[in-house]
Amino acid sequence: MAGGRLARTGGRLAMPFRHKLMLLLAVELVAIGFQQAERNPYRPGITVEVPDRSGHVIT
């Protein structure tokens, strides 16, 4: 590979340390996201304001 260092361990390629760190960070972010989603669920809604005049209709 150009520009990269690869180490063979038992017939397979070893993952570089920085890739392991990035993978760990991604897993932590997903776990934190699930925890926050359980605590603060996003419930979209529509706000409808009542018109000032009684003859007006909301459609």
Side-chain angles (χ1 to χ4, degrees):
M1 290 209 108
R5 288 181 285 168
L6 298 176
R8 285 197 167 266
T9 55
R12 60 183 182 166
L13 297 176
M15 186 183 301
F17 182 69
R18 67 178 182 185
H19 289 178
K20 291 177 184 178
L21 286 177
M22 287 189 283
L23 185 60
L24 179 64
L25 179 63
V27 169
E28 286 184 16
L29 288 175
V30 169
I32 290 171
F34 275 115
Q35 287 177 354
Q36 287 182 352
E38 288 178 358
R39 276 189 270 155
N40 304 320
Y42 175 70
R43 294 189 175 104
I46 299 172
T47 304
V48 177
E49 297 180 6
V50 179
D52 292 337
R53 299 181 184 174
S54 61
H56 290 199
V57 179
I58 299 173
T59 57

PDB file of all heavy atoms in Angstrom, residues 26-41:
ATOM      1  N   ALA A  26     -16.177   6.052  17.740  1.00  0.00           N
ATOM      2  CA  ALA A  26     -17.444   5.918  17.029  1.00  0.00           C
ATOM      3  C   ALA A  26     -18.443   5.100  17.838  1.00  0.00           C
ATOM      4  O   ALA A  26     -19.629   5.454  17.928  1.00  0.00           O
ATOM      5  CB  ALA A  26     -17.212   5.278  15.663  1.00  0.00           C
ATOM      6  N   VAL A  27     -17.985   4.024  18.456  1.00  0.00           N
ATOM      7  CA  VAL A  27     -18.879   3.192  19.281  1.00  0.00           C
ATOM      8  C   VAL A  27     -19.379   3.983  20.485  1.00  0.00           C
ATOM      9  O   VAL A  27     -20.560   3.919  20.840  1.00  0.00           O
ATOM     10  CB  VAL A  27     -18.144   1.902  19.716  1.00  0.00           C
ATOM     11  CG1 VAL A  27     -18.933   1.148  20.770  1.00  0.00           C
ATOM     12  CG2 VAL A  27     -17.891   1.015  18.514  1.00  0.00           C
ATOM     13  N   GLU A  28     -18.507   4.767  21.110  1.00  0.00           N
ATOM     14  CA  GLU A  28     -18.916   5.578  22.249  1.00  0.00           C
ATOM     15  C   GLU A  28     -19.943   6.626  21.840  1.00  0.00           C
ATOM     16  O   GLU A  28     -20.915   6.873  22.552  1.00  0.00           O
ATOM     17  CB  GLU A  28     -17.706   6.255  22.883  1.00  0.00           C
ATOM     18  CG  GLU A  28     -16.832   5.316  23.667  1.00  0.00           C
ATOM     19  CD  GLU A  28     -15.691   6.033  24.367  1.00  0.00           C
ATOM     20  OE1 GLU A  28     -15.753   7.265  24.500  1.00  0.00           O
ATOM     21  OE2 GLU A  28     -14.750   5.352  24.783  1.00  0.00           O
ATOM     22  N   LEU A  29     -19.743   7.259  20.682  1.00  0.00           N
ATOM     23  CA  LEU A  29     -20.704   8.259  20.223  1.00  0.00           C
ATOM     24  C   LEU A  29     -22.077   7.649  19.959  1.00  0.00           C
ATOM     25  O   LEU A  29     -23.106   8.242  20.276  1.00  0.00           O
ATOM     26  CB  LEU A  29     -20.183   8.958  18.966  1.00  0.00           C
ATOM     27  CG  LEU A  29     -19.031   9.915  19.175  1.00  0.00           C
ATOM     28  CD1 LEU A  29     -18.536  10.451  17.839  1.00  0.00           C
ATOM     29  CD2 LEU A  29     -19.436  11.056  20.080  1.00  0.00           C
ATOM     30  N   VAL A  30     -22.102   6.467  19.391  1.00  0.00           N
ATOM     31  CA  VAL A  30     -23.379   5.790  19.142  1.00  0.00           C
ATOM     32  C   VAL A  30     -24.050   5.443  20.466  1.00  0.00           C
ATOM     33  O   VAL A  30     -25.254   5.653  20.640  1.00  0.00           O
ATOM     34  CB  VAL A  30     -23.167   4.526  18.274  1.00  0.00           C
ATOM     35  CG1 VAL A  30     -24.418   3.672  18.241  1.00  0.00           C
ATOM     36  CG2 VAL A  30     -22.760   4.928  16.869  1.00  0.00           C
ATOM     37  N   ALA A  31     -23.285   4.953  21.431  1.00  0.00           N
ATOM     38  CA  ALA A  31     -23.854   4.596  22.731  1.00  0.00           C
ATOM     39  C   ALA A  31     -24.404   5.828  23.442  1.00  0.00           C
ATOM     40  O   ALA A  31     -25.507   5.794  23.999  1.00  0.00           O
ATOM     41  CB  ALA A  31     -22.789   3.909  23.591  1.00  0.00           C
ATOM     42  N   ILE A  32     -23.665   6.928  23.417  1.00  0.00           N
ATOM     43  CA  ILE A  32     -24.132   8.169  24.047  1.00  0.00           C
ATOM     44  C   ILE A  32     -25.382   8.680  23.344  1.00  0.00           C
ATOM     45  O   ILE A  32     -26.318   9.157  23.985  1.00  0.00           O
ATOM     46  CB  ILE A  32     -23.012   9.227  24.038  1.00  0.00           C
ATOM     47  CG1 ILE A  32     -21.914   8.812  24.999  1.00  0.00           C
ATOM     48  CG2 ILE A  32     -23.541  10.600  24.405  1.00  0.00           C
ATOM     49  CD1 ILE A  32     -20.668   9.663  24.926  1.00  0.00           C
ATOM     50  N   GLY A  33     -25.427   8.569  22.023  1.00  0.00           N
ATOM     51  CA  GLY A  33     -26.613   9.001  21.278  1.00  0.00           C
ATOM     52  C   GLY A  33     -27.853   8.210  21.662  1.00  0.00           C
ATOM     53  O   GLY A  33     -28.939   8.773  21.818  1.00  0.00           O
ATOM     54  N   PHE A  34     -27.704   6.895  21.829  1.00  0.00           N
ATOM     55  CA  PHE A  34     -28.847   6.082  22.244  1.00  0.00           C
ATOM     56  C   PHE A  34     -29.310   6.459  23.645  1.00  0.00           C
ATOM     57  O   PHE A  34     -30.513   6.520  23.914  1.00  0.00           O
ATOM     58  CB  PHE A  34     -28.503   4.594  22.191  1.00  0.00           C
ATOM     59  CG  PHE A  34     -28.689   3.983  20.834  1.00  0.00           C
ATOM     60  CD1 PHE A  34     -27.602   3.506  20.130  1.00  0.00           C
ATOM     61  CD2 PHE A  34     -29.946   3.895  20.260  1.00  0.00           C
ATOM     62  CE1 PHE A  34     -27.766   2.942  18.869  1.00  0.00           C
ATOM     63  CE2 PHE A  34     -30.120   3.343  19.006  1.00  0.00           C
ATOM     64  CZ  PHE A  34     -29.019   2.868  18.306  1.00  0.00           C
ATOM     65  N   GLN A  35     -28.377   6.721  24.544  1.00  0.00           N
ATOM     66  CA  GLN A  35     -28.750   7.108  25.905  1.00  0.00           C
ATOM     67  C   GLN A  35     -29.504   8.433  25.906  1.00  0.00           C
ATOM     68  O   GLN A  35     -30.513   8.584  26.598  1.00  0.00           O
ATOM     69  CB  GLN A  35     -27.515   7.219  26.792  1.00  0.00           C
ATOM     70  CG  GLN A  35     -26.912   5.889  27.158  1.00  0.00           C
ATOM     71  CD  GLN A  35     -25.638   6.044  27.976  1.00  0.00           C
ATOM     72  OE1 GLN A  35     -25.154   7.148  28.182  1.00  0.00           O
ATOM     73  NE2 GLN A  35     -25.111   4.922  28.436  1.00  0.00           N
ATOM     74  N   GLN A  36     -29.037   9.402  25.142  1.00  0.00           N
ATOM     75  CA  GLN A  36     -29.717  10.699  25.092  1.00  0.00           C
ATOM     76  C   GLN A  36     -31.079  10.585  24.419  1.00  0.00           C
ATOM     77  O   GLN A  36     -32.020  11.281  24.797  1.00  0.00           O
ATOM     78  CB  GLN A  36     -28.852  11.721  24.365  1.00  0.00           C
ATOM     79  CG  GLN A  36     -27.662  12.166  25.172  1.00  0.00           C
ATOM     80  CD  GLN A  36     -26.851  13.219  24.453  1.00  0.00           C
ATOM     81  OE1 GLN A  36     -27.095  13.526  23.280  1.00  0.00           O
ATOM     82  NE2 GLN A  36     -25.872  13.778  25.139  1.00  0.00           N
ATOM     83  N   ALA A  37     -31.197   9.724  23.436  1.00  0.00           N
ATOM     84  CA  ALA A  37     -32.479   9.549  22.748  1.00  0.00           C
ATOM     85  C   ALA A  37     -33.517   8.948  23.687  1.00  0.00           C
ATOM     86  O   ALA A  37     -34.703   9.257  23.590  1.00  0.00           O
ATOM     87  CB  ALA A  37     -32.301   8.664  21.520  1.00  0.00           C
ATOM     88  N   GLU A  38     -33.084   8.079  24.599  1.00  0.00           N
ATOM     89  CA  GLU A  38     -34.024   7.505  25.552  1.00  0.00           C
ATOM     90  C   GLU A  38     -34.471   8.539  26.580  1.00  0.00           C
ATOM     91  O   GLU A  38     -35.621   8.563  26.986  1.00  0.00           O
ATOM     92  CB  GLU A  38     -33.392   6.311  26.264  1.00  0.00           C
ATOM     93  CG  GLU A  38     -33.237   5.097  25.380  1.00  0.00           C
ATOM     94  CD  GLU A  38     -32.551   3.943  26.103  1.00  0.00           C
ATOM     95  OE1 GLU A  38     -32.160   4.121  27.276  1.00  0.00           O
ATOM     96  OE2 GLU A  38     -32.416   2.887  25.489  1.00  0.00           O
ATOM     97  N   ARG A  39     -33.563   9.419  26.996  1.00  0.00           N
ATOM     98  CA  ARG A  39     -33.901  10.425  28.002  1.00  0.00           C
ATOM     99  C   ARG A  39     -34.704  11.576  27.410  1.00  0.00           C
ATOM    100  O   ARG A  39     -35.626  12.068  28.039  1.00  0.00           O
ATOM    101  CB  ARG A  39     -32.636  10.985  28.641  1.00  0.00           C
ATOM    102  CG  ARG A  39     -32.138  10.126  29.767  1.00  0.00           C
ATOM    103  CD  ARG A  39     -31.037  10.823  30.504  1.00  0.00           C
ATOM    104  NE  ARG A  39     -29.782  10.445  29.855  1.00  0.00           N
ATOM    105  CZ  ARG A  39     -28.679  11.147  29.872  1.00  0.00           C
ATOM    106  NH1 ARG A  39     -28.641  12.275  30.507  1.00  0.00           N
ATOM    107  NH2 ARG A  39     -27.598  10.718  29.258  1.00  0.00           N
ATOM    108  N   ASN A  40     -34.354  12.038  26.229  1.00  0.00           N
ATOM    109  CA  ASN A  40     -34.998  13.196  25.599  1.00  0.00           C
ATOM    110  C   ASN A  40     -35.498  12.820  24.207  1.00  0.00           C
ATOM    111  O   ASN A  40     -34.902  13.194  23.208  1.00  0.00           O
ATOM    112  CB  ASN A  40     -34.004  14.362  25.478  1.00  0.00           C
ATOM    113  CG  ASN A  40     -33.413  14.756  26.795  1.00  0.00           C
ATOM    114  OD1 ASN A  40     -34.104  14.793  27.797  1.00  0.00           O
ATOM    115  ND2 ASN A  40     -32.120  15.043  26.808  1.00  0.00           N
ATOM    116  N   PRO A  41     -36.611  12.087  24.133  1.00  0.00           N
ATOM    117  CA  PRO A  41     -37.084  11.699  22.794  1.00  0.00           C
ATOM    118  C   PRO A  41     -37.569  12.920  22.014  1.00  0.00           C
ATOM    119  O   PRO A  41     -38.124  13.863  22.580  1.00  0.00           O
ATOM    120  CB  PRO A  41     -38.237  10.746  23.097  1.00  0.00           C
ATOM    121  CG  PRO A  41     -38.669  11.067  24.475  1.00  0.00           C
ATOM    122  CD  PRO A  41     -37.464  11.605  25.198  1.00  0.00           C
TER     123      PRO A  41
END
